Amino acid sequence: MAEEEERGPGSVFQMFVLMEDLLDKLKVLDYEQHVLDKHNIKPLSRHYFVSSPHVLSNPGEQFYMFSVIAAWLISLCGRPFDTPQEYDDPNATVSNILSELRALGGQVDFPPSKLKSGSGEHVVYVLDQLVEKALKSKGFTWDRPMYPSVEVEDECVQEDDAELTLSKVEEEMTEDEEYEEEDGLDLDTLKTRTNQIELSGSRPAVVLESDVDAAEWNLEVERVLPQLKVTIRTDNKDWRIHLDQMHQHQEGINTSLQDAKGCLFKLREDISKTLEKVSSREKYLNTQLEHLISEYRQAQAQLNKVKELYQQASGGVTERTRILAEISEELEKVKQEMEEKGSSMSDGAPVVKIRQSLTKLKQELEQMDVRMGVVEHTLLQAKLREKNNMTRDMHATHLLEPNTQPY
């Protein structure tokens, strides 16, 4: 925005002028035959490469057109340059075009990315530089324009000088009205003035006759007539003009209405005839297809019965499907229990535990047997000791008895 303000307000539209000049230069080089016909492309518009919100843009198509025209112009300058294709890398294409332009002596003081959009000030600048180089290599020069000589008549009439605006006419009319209102002349005063003029002898005694030749008079009239032309500029705010326009529009509407009425009446007749034909054709088809319609109705009734039976059957199927689902759930539970029991039966861990328990019981039994043997041996010794003690006591008592008898 700052650059545009520095360059001036007209710089925005300078691109349009450059594009028009560029198109004229391309036509001089006959680009229609060498580029458009060769690549089967439509002709360029006056503002094809202009970047503006008021101009339709297609970046892909514009970039391809820019690259093709630039390649053609570079080849016209005597430098070999291959025509770019649509699938080529745009960065490489732009860099090649700018390098060729620098080689030809052109100045490039902007980044290559400005050309990738296919439109804008820089695209027009590059093409203009290339087309100038191509015209120079072809030896083309612009000649000065030759203006046709026009004989200027002595009696030229300027209508603008003789025009009177409606505002001036209205002002004069208002001034006259105000003057008449201010003066307030009545008929009596006017009659007295007329009588005074007649008495003063201002009226001629004889009828005046012209001594001028009629041909000369007509020539003078033809010469002066254009200068006497009065052109009144219409003011759109005047109610008289609006009224005239309303009358004109009313007349136009009436004439259009008359024409439209005839067309509408004719159209109504055509539509009524068409409707009669359609109704007669419909009746004919109904009579011809009556038996088919009856068959169709019978088939429709049978279809409704079959649908009812199907709904009933589908209801029973739904109930049986529910029962089947419940049975399937119970079966799954039984299968799961059987699998658990089978896995427990096939598992050897309980048997191992039983064997270990038996081994432990045997060991405990052996220990109990040893303990019982020890206890029995202890009891036996105790019994033997008690028996020995009893026998000892018995012998002791027998020995004491004979000693006591003599006393």
Side-chain angles (χ1 to χ4, degrees):
M1 294 296 293
E3 294 179 357
E4 292 179 359
E5 291 178 356
E6 291 177 358
R7 290 185 296 176
S11 61
V12 180
F13 306 99
Q14 185 65 24
M15 183 167 44
F16 293 86
V17 180
L18 292 176
M19 180 60 206
E20 292 179 0
D21 294 341
L22 173 63
L23 189 60
D24 293 336
K25 295 173 185 177
L26 290 175
K27 289 180 180 179
V28 170
L29 293 173
D30 196 10
Y31 87 107
E32 293 95 342
Q33 181 179 359
H34 296 90
V35 178
L36 301 183
D37 296 341
K38 183 178 179 181
H39 297 279
N40 194 14
I41 302 174
K42 296 180 180 180
L44 301 181
S45 61
R46 292 174 58 193
H47 307 137
Y48 184 78
F49 291 112
V50 175
S51 177
S52 174
H54 305 289
V55 180
L56 296 177
S57 62
N58 187 353
E61 179 183 350
Q62 288 174 334
F63 180 77
Y64 176 68
M65 182 67 73
F66 161 72
S67 59
V68 169
I69 294 175
W72 173 65
L73 293 174
I74 293 169
S75 62
L76 287 180
C77 295
R79 300 183 66 87
F81 195 87
D82 296 334
T83 303
Q85 303 297 326
E86 293 184 1
Y87 51 83
D88 291 346
D89 185 11
N91 296 319
T93 303
V94 169
S95 61
N96 294 332
I97 292 172
L98 292 180
S99 61
E100 292 293 336
L101 180 59
R102 292 191 186 95
L104 293 171
Q107 295 181 357
V108 179
D109 55 354
F110 54 87
S113 60
K114 296 288 186 179
L115 303 178
K116 292 175 66 176
S117 62
S119 63
E121 180 181 359
H122 302 89
V123 172
V124 177
Y125 169 76
V126 170
L127 290 177
D128 187 67
Q129 292 290 321
L130 290 175
V131 76
E132 287 289 343
K133 302 295 181 184
L135 290 172
K136 187 176 180 181
S137 64
K138 290 289 185 180
F140 179 82
T141 56
W142 296 97
D143 297 331
R144 290 186 176 182
M146 301 296 292
Y147 297 102
S149 59
V150 180
E151 296 181 357
V152 181
E153 297 180 356
D154 295 336
E155 298 178 357
C156 59
V157 180
Q158 297 181 356
E159 295 183 357
D160 295 337
D161 296 336
E163 291 182 352
L164 296 176
T165 59
L166 183 61
S167 60
K168 292 182 179 180
V169 175
E170 290 181 352
E171 289 176 1
E172 294 176 356
M173 293 173 65
T174 53
E175 288 178 358
D176 294 339
E177 291 176 357
E178 291 176 356
Y179 178 75
E180 290 177 358
E181 290 177 357
E182 290 175 359
D183 293 343
L185 294 177
D186 53 359
L187 293 176
D188 297 332
T189 308
L190 188 60
K191 287 180 181 180
T192 55
R193 285 186 181 181
T194 305
N195 294 328
Q196 290 176 1
I197 292 170
E198 290 178 353
L199 293 172
S200 62
S202 61
R203 179 181 295 180
V206 295
V207 178
L208 296 176
E209 293 182 1
S210 176
D211 56 353
V212 181
D213 189 7
E216 294 180 358
W217 183 264
N218 291 330
L219 290 175
E220 185 67 17
V221 169
E222 290 178 358
R223 186 180 68 82
V224 181
L225 182 61
Q227 296 181 2
L228 300 177
K229 184 179 180 181
V230 178
T231 303
I232 299 175
R233 295 181 181 177
T234 59
D235 188 5
N236 294 327
K237 296 182 180 179
D238 190 7
W239 63 271
R240 299 181 184 87
I241 297 173
H242 291 173
L243 183 61
D244 294 337
Q245 290 178 355
M246 289 171 63
H247 289 304
Q248 292 176 2
H249 291 318
Q250 185 178 4
E251 292 177 358
I253 290 170
N254 292 331
T255 54
S256 301
L257 182 61
Q258 294 297 329
D259 299 336
K261 277 184 178 179
C263 296
L264 291 174
F265 284 140
K266 187 177 180 181
L267 183 62
R268 185 184 66 178
E269 292 177 357
D270 294 339
I271 291 173
S272 61
K273 290 180 181 179
T274 305
L275 289 175
E276 290 177 358
K277 291 180 180 179
V278 169
S279 61
S280 62
R281 188 65 179 174
E282 185 178 0
K283 291 178 181 178
Y284 174 75
L285 290 175
N286 289 331
T287 54
Q288 294 292 326
L289 301 176
E290 187 175 0
H291 63 285
L292 295 176
I293 294 172
S294 61
E295 291 179 358
Y296 173 75
R297 289 174 180 172
Q298 294 177 0
Q300 190 72 23
Q302 292 179 0
L303 179 61
N304 293 330
K305 292 180 181 179
V306 171
K307 284 183 178 180
E308 291 178 358
L309 295 175
Y310 172 75
Q311 290 178 357
Q312 294 177 0
S314 62
V317 170
T318 305
E319 184 66 23
R320 289 177 177 80
T321 305
R322 185 181 61 79
I323 296 171
L324 178 62
E326 293 177 357
I327 295 172
S328 299
E329 290 179 359
E330 294 179 358
L331 182 61
E332 289 293 332
K333 291 181 181 178
V334 172
K335 285 183 179 180
Q336 188 175 1
E337 292 177 358
M338 290 178 64
E339 288 177 358
E340 290 178 356
K341 290 181 179 180
S343 61
S344 63
M345 291 175 65
S346 60
D347 191 4
V351 177
V352 173
K353 290 181 179 179
I354 291 170
R355 288 178 180 177
Q356 290 177 357
S357 300
L358 291 173
T359 305
K360 190 175 181 180
L361 287 172
K362 287 181 181 179
Q363 291 177 358
E364 290 179 354
L365 289 173
E366 290 177 355
Q367 291 178 1
M368 290 296 293
D369 290 338
V370 172
R371 289 179 180 177
M372 288 173 65
V374 173
V375 170
E376 288 179 355
H377 180 69
T378 304
L379 290 172
L380 181 61
Q381 287 182 354
K383 288 181 178 180
L384 290 174
R385 189 178 299 113
E386 186 178 359
K387 187 176 182 181
N388 289 330
N389 291 330
M390 289 177 64
T391 54
R392 190 179 299 123
D393 293 335
M394 288 179 65
H395 285 295
T397 55
H398 285 298
L399 289 176
L400 289 174
E401 288 178 359
N403 292 326
T404 59
Q405 288 180 358
Y407 298 100

